[in-house]
Amino acid sequence: LAGTRIICDRKFLLECKSSPVARTPPCCLPQTPGVTSLAQSSLVKLEELKEQNESEEAMPGEQPGHVTP
């Protein structure tokens, strides 16, 4: 087998992890719902969860899933 092997040490890879370039998506990346961007249904679910959390915070006396006898 012929090929080139790229070897990086652990310190270098950990430094790359926190690099601003590593956190920025490439400019030419296509928008694929559910892969490179959130799926439309995921956005709806996030909104529903946010509203549910806000309504639970508005009623702090009750605990979800807790039944009082």
Side-chain angles (χ1 to χ4, degrees):
L1 286 173
T4 304
R5 209 170 181 174
I6 299 173
I7 301 173
C8 302
D9 64 344
R10 183 177 187 275
K11 181 183 175 205
F12 173 75
L13 291 173
L14 288 173
E15 288 172 357
C16 288
K17 175 182 162 186
S18 60
S19 167
V21 175
R23 298 180 183 273
T24 307
C27 62
C28 57
L29 194 66
Q31 296 297 318
T32 308
V35 179
T36 57
S37 63
L38 289 176
Q40 192 66 16
S41 61
S42 296
L43 291 173
V44 172
K45 289 179 185 177
L46 284 174
E47 288 297 322
E48 289 174 356
L49 287 173
K50 184 178 177 183
E51 290 173 4
Q52 182 181 2
N53 286 339
E54 288 173 354
S55 66
E56 288 175 359
E57 289 175 0
M59 297 183 296
E62 296 183 20
Q63 295 178 0
H66 185 327
V67 179
T68 12

